Amino acid sequence: MEMECVFGEIEVKEAVGKCESDKSPGLDSFSFKFIKVLWKVLKDDIMRFMREFHSYGVLPRGGNPSFITLIPKVENH
């Protein structure tokens, strides 16, 4: 089942790219612009976070669950 697939780097980067860059920062005071500009530096940590979420189904304490939305994967038509 594709809903059970691990999140790929390209998929995560595209999702981050679609987020508004200059919206109010989260609890950590960082906006998505920060993540986009420093993607090369942050991607390993972000991908580790995504793998751990996929494996354990739990967000780390202090994580903002409003940024996580499950969207079914569908084939391109």
Side-chain angles (χ1 to χ4, degrees):
M1 178 175 230
E2 290 202 29
M3 287 293 291
E4 297 173 358
C5 295
V6 176
F7 302 105
E9 182 181 327
I10 293 171
E11 185 177 19
V12 173
K13 185 177 180 182
E14 286 176 358
V16 168
K18 291 178 183 178
C19 293
E20 295 287 332
S21 294
D22 294 322
K23 293 286 185 179
S24 297
L27 297 174
D28 58 6
S29 299
F30 297 116
S31 67
F32 272 98
K33 184 174 185 177
F34 176 84
I35 295 170
K36 290 175 185 180
V37 170
L38 294 172
W39 177 254
K40 288 181 182 181
V41 175
L42 299 173
K43 73 177 178 180
D44 290 338
D45 290 326
I46 291 170
M47 294 309 299
R48 184 174 58 248
F49 170 89
M50 298 305 288
R51 283 191 302 274
E52 288 178 11
F53 172 74
H54 181 264
S55 295
Y56 304 109
V58 178
L59 293 172
R61 185 178 198 121
N64 187 342
S66 65
F67 288 132
I68 306 277
T69 304
L70 298 178
I71 300 172
K73 295 181 181 185
V74 295
E75 292 182 26
N76 293 334
H77 296 288

